[in-house]
Amino acid sequence: MREPSIDIKTEDAVFLAVNQPLDLRATIDSGQVFRWRWDGDWCYGVIGEHAYSMRQADGGLLVRSSATSQMEVSGPVADFLRLDDDLEDMLRDLANDTPLANAVKRWQGLRILRQDPWECLVGFVCSQVSNIPRISRNMASVAEAYGERVELDGRFLHRFPGAERLAAAGEDGLFALGLGFRARYLAKIADNVANGDVDLAALRLAPYGEAKAALTQMKGIGDKVADCVLLFSLDKMEGFPIDRWVMRALVDWYGHEEKARYGDLLSWAQERWGNRAGYVQQYLFHHRRLMG
DNA sequence: GAAGGGCCTTTGAG
DNA sequence: ACTCAAAGGCCCT
């Protein structure tokens, strides 16, 4: 039996009104981000320079942060959660799409996040032939080894180290953190980003195809990882990452062949769902992974 | 150009 | 102890 207690963390928390469907738990736990941690109803993580904790509350969110001004608290959080997306509008017609309707109904409020592109890129290069718990460990190792510390609620979080840092760490430094064969890719990718060969910020403004080409030209980034980065950090809502789970959904629920080519499935999904494809993918992924 | 197979590290589950 | 799977991709036939 739990003792009634005052939640001291709600003191001096900022209230952020949310007039959008939001399931914070499902969103944070849907394999988009790998460095957020739960402590009861509060989740802790880093957005940009600052550490944040947030908790779902009636009509919105309670947010605490190492940032000092209220603007620095609500702005980045609203941006991160893509509260500018009209989720109801995005998902409205999908109730007629039977297999999808179940997922949408079950996980209503699962949102696509708008992450920092560099951290997102590293996370999904790490995701190759891995699993979410391990990716999380890898990302924590990288941040603890090379990122600056930020304090919040007496706990220490880490900013994600920039490309220059990881380029300096090199393949050996990254391999030592347990990244396996991914260390080689990441060292080179870090180099490309650090020296300006690839400008991630610029890709946010570029069209989908152009941005994807810029990403996949780097070794270690194929169709799938690129689509994750495009969707989760570069505002390309037509991105449709197809991993094992989404593939199973496409085969079992939409009659595709197991051997279908990535590009053909991608075109099919984008034609069917347009700029909602990214959201559709996230609901399919989450539902299939957790419900089987 | 397309398709298939081996290989790349590590971890945990069964 | 051994096999399989895990938000894949590269490289060589």
Side-chain angles (χ1 to χ4, degrees):
Chain A
M1 204 164 95
R2 175 176 294 194
E3 292 188 18
S5 63
I6 297 171
D7 189 347
I8 55 168
K9 284 179 278 194
T10 59
E11 287 176 17
D12 61 73
V14 171
F15 179 73
L16 175 59
V18 177
N19 60 354
Q20 276 285 311
L22 171 63
D23 182 338
L24 187 61
R25 177 80 57 173
T27 300
I28 293 295
D29 291 346
S30 67
Q32 301 182 62
V33 287
F34 305 103
R35 296 203 313 124
W36 285 79
R37 301 283 177 272
W38 290 96
D39 178 3
D41 292 333
W42 292 83
C43 60
Y44 287 78
V46 173
I47 303 173
E49 301 283 291
H50 295 292
Y52 295 80
S53 65
M54 44 190 172
R55 198 201 100 173
Q56 202 136 14
D58 196 27
L61 290 170
L62 288 171
V63 183
R64 293 172 46 73
S65 173
S66 59
T68 47
S69 83
Q70 180 159 336
M71 272 266 290
E72 285 183 288
V73 174
S74 53
V77 169
D79 194 63
F80 180 63
L81 296 174
R82 297 191 67 97
L83 296 180
D84 46 327
D85 280 344
D86 185 344
L87 190 54
E88 300 204 50
D89 185 57
M90 281 274 187
L91 304 177
R92 185 162 297 136
D93 314 326
L94 304 177
N96 304 323
D97 194 326
T98 308
L100 188 51
N102 296 332
V104 168
K105 189 169 187 177
R106 174 67 183 82
W107 303 108
Q108 185 144 149
L110 167 57
R111 306 185 71 84
I112 298 292
L113 296 169
R114 182 185 286 112
Q115 301 179 47
D116 169 70
W118 168 242
E119 178 172 347
C120 184
L121 177 52
V122 175
F124 283 97
V125 170
C126 285
S127 77
Q128 299 181 32
V129 205
S130 190
N131 51 67
I132 292 173
R134 184 184 172 189
I135 303 164
S136 302
R137 279 201 306 280
N138 288 160
M139 292 295 278
S141 301
V142 170
E144 283 161 24
Y146 299 107
E148 294 149 22
R149 230 164 56 156
V150 199
E151 184 178 358
L152 178 62
D153 291 344
R155 56 181 80 206
F156 293 108
L157 307 179
H158 294 265
R159 293 177 184 145
F160 196 73
E164 304 78 11
R165 285 281 181 79
L166 296 198
E171 180 181 344
D172 294 343
L174 296 172
F175 189 90
L177 296 178
L179 301 194
F181 65 88
R182 307 158 192 90
R184 181 187 306 266
Y185 294 144
L186 279 178
K188 178 66 176 164
I189 291 167
D191 208 40
N192 290 143
V193 173
N195 68 28
D197 289 345
V198 175
D199 181 352
L200 293 176
L203 297 185
R204 199 169 253 166
L205 305 173
Y208 173 85
E210 193 178 308
K212 187 166 192 176
L215 291 175
T216 53
Q217 92 188 32
M218 293 188 278
K219 288 185 200 271
I221 305 175
D223 265 316
K224 192 274 175 184
V225 169
D227 270 321
C228 287
V229 176
L230 291 166
L231 175 62
F232 301 143
S233 75
L234 294 175
D235 290 338
K236 306 298 182 276
M237 306 316 286
E238 67 271 52
F240 191 82
I242 304 167
D243 79 314
R244 298 175 148 96
W245 298 106
V246 173
M247 179 62 86
R248 283 168 204 165
L250 293 179
V251 170
D252 294 346
W253 298 340
Y254 292 95
H256 288 285
E257 305 278 344
E258 294 92 339
K259 328 205 66 169
R261 293 179 339 194
Y262 190 101
D264 292 338
L265 294 172
L266 175 64
S267 302
W268 175 84
Q270 291 180 335
E271 209 163 300
R272 184 182 181 98
W273 291 304
N275 67 354
R276 300 175 300 176
Y279 267 99
V280 167
Q281 178 276 159
Q282 199 58 24
Y283 277 87
L284 290 177
F285 171 79
H286 196 61
H287 194 60
R288 188 74 196 203
R289 191 170 83 89
L290 297 185
M291 301 283 118

